[in-house]
Amino acid sequence: MQTCWIVYNGSLTHDKFIEQALLLQEAAEKQGIQAILVKNYELLINVQEYLSMRPDFVVFLDKDILLAKYLKNQGIPVFNDPNVIEICDNKAQQYLALAQALVPMPLTIIAPKVYPEFSIVHTGYYEQVIEKLKLPMIIKEAHGSFGMRVYLIETREQFYEKVEELRGIEYVFQQFIENSRGRDIRVNVVGGEVVACMHRQSETDFRANITNGGTASSIILTERQKEVAIQAAAALNAEFAGVDLLFGDDEEPLVCEVNGVAHIRNLYNVTGINVGDYMISYILSKVGAVTI
């Protein structure tokens, strides 16, 4: 019998993290795989030793990128690949790759590196950003999940306060898509195919994330929405991806961001689809299934 490890972050105690792991475990066991839940801190990253016990593959549900790289260096297939998890976890790097692949997305400017003890407020740089993107705009830290560390900037006062606050932090400026205020689409892509999706909406926040109070419902995607979601996942070499789509002019899809460790519980609640079933099937097509 093949075995797999489902690695998640043991320091995060919210139910949604263990539920994510349990959905993957259920999917693996349905397909005859012995699935072992592993907290990230239960593995000692001793870089000069090889693991004495090793699974046939790892489903990595965390952003502990160094652990993912360690497991890959051990010769264990890791899904998603650590390089994918890393680029998805850094939105600045992600937008560079998406733009290079001509993926439709809001106008985006990556903020320059400014050390915490210095300021470039009086250089004219920020005036160029405001001129290009206009207000309101989005300022988004490079690292953050569930809509956190994303700020809607509506006035110059807010703008200058935020850029001074973020000295020393990697972030981007992004065009605010008014047509998509409080609504987006989450599309889960597995192996280059759309396997599930949902519409998210908030009446109280410019972000549609369910964590921030949004609600979710089923939706039928247009062919263009499917095409853009698949293109975005491919641009980052993501075998599994949760692609967030915004509604541009005439509802034209724009990629808000791509999640390399996308949560699947809310999708399951809305659609009844366990994306984990597709993930495990895809992995077995890559690593080979053992007949029991």
Side-chain angles (χ1 to χ4, degrees):
M1 176 182 288
Q2 285 183 306
T3 63
C4 76
W5 288 351
I6 298 169
V7 177
Y8 68 103
N9 196 296
S11 68
L12 299 172
T13 57
H14 195 285
D15 287 347
K16 62 188 171 188
F17 296 100
I18 183 62
E19 288 174 355
Q20 171 95 334
L22 289 170
L23 281 172
L24 265 298
Q25 184 180 50
E26 176 187 326
E29 291 179 346
K30 274 196 296 187
Q31 299 196 49
I33 306 298
Q34 181 184 9
I36 301 168
L37 302 188
V38 180
K39 298 181 179 70
N40 66 315
Y41 60 73
E42 292 177 332
L43 296 171
L44 194 67
I45 308 177
N46 188 333
V47 297
Q48 292 163 310
E49 288 187 4
Y50 282 94
L51 290 166
S52 56
M53 296 181 61
R54 57 184 53 235
D56 293 289
F57 62 88
V58 169
V59 182
F60 207 83
L61 303 180
D62 191 27
K63 295 180 180 180
D64 191 338
I65 294 160
L66 293 176
L67 174 58
K69 289 185 175 183
Y70 170 72
L71 294 172
K72 181 181 177 180
N73 288 349
Q74 296 274 323
I76 303 168
V78 179
F79 299 88
N80 270 313
D81 185 89
N83 293 328
V84 173
I85 296 172
E86 185 169 30
I87 195 169
C88 287
D89 190 41
N90 186 318
K91 295 180 180 66
Q93 289 190 36
Q94 178 183 141
Y95 292 132
L96 280 171
L98 292 174
Q100 187 174 25
L102 304 179
V103 174
M105 65 183 197
L107 293 175
T108 301
I109 297 172
I110 297 175
K113 187 177 185 68
V114 177
Y115 290 96
E117 63 271 28
F118 296 97
S119 173
I120 60 169
V121 162
H122 302 297
T123 64
Y125 175 84
Y126 294 126
E127 285 74 15
Q128 292 183 69
V129 173
I130 295 173
E131 174 73 19
K132 185 71 174 177
L133 299 183
K134 313 301 182 190
L135 293 170
M137 76 170 70
I138 296 295
I139 289 181
K140 184 182 295 187
E141 294 186 37
H143 299 282
S145 303
F146 309 111
M148 298 172 64
R149 300 179 186 173
V150 178
Y151 315 103
L152 177 60
I153 305 299
E154 299 182 285
T155 68
R156 285 177 173 265
E157 290 74 20
Q158 289 176 338
F159 178 91
Y160 287 108
E161 180 181 349
K162 184 57 67 176
V163 296
E164 288 293 271
E165 177 187 319
L166 293 179
R167 285 182 295 174
I169 295 173
E170 207 170 352
Y171 67 95
V172 304
F173 304 100
Q174 199 164 65
Q175 174 190 15
F176 178 55
I177 307 301
E178 179 63 46
N179 193 46
S180 204
R181 182 188 288 263
R183 65 187 185 121
D184 70 8
I185 303 172
R186 164 59 62 86
V187 184
N188 270 68
V189 178
V190 175
E193 296 183 5
V194 171
V195 299
C197 60
M198 63 182 173
H199 178 264
R200 303 186 298 188
Q201 186 160 0
S202 174
E203 301 296 334
T204 59
D205 199 294
F206 71 95
R207 299 161 295 186
N209 302 72
I210 295 172
T211 301
N212 296 320
T215 58
S217 58
S218 59
I219 187 173
I220 298 175
L221 298 180
T222 66
E223 288 305 311
R224 179 60 177 157
Q225 288 166 340
K226 292 178 185 177
E227 178 186 319
V228 170
I230 291 168
Q231 181 189 4
L236 304 181
N237 296 314
E239 293 169 290
F240 312 141
V243 182
D244 293 341
L245 298 179
L246 301 175
F247 298 90
D249 293 341
D250 299 321
E251 304 291 277
E252 176 68 13
L254 299 172
V255 173
C256 176
E257 62 185 64
V258 179
N259 301 275
V261 189
H263 279 250
I264 60 176
R265 165 55 73 178
N266 289 325
L267 262 173
Y268 179 75
N269 293 341
V270 170
T271 67
I273 296 171
N274 182 355
V275 174
D277 292 334
Y278 294 90
M279 294 168 66
I280 296 299
S281 293
Y282 175 79
I283 290 171
L284 293 179
S285 78
K286 299 286 284 187
V287 303
V290 173
T291 302
I292 301 171

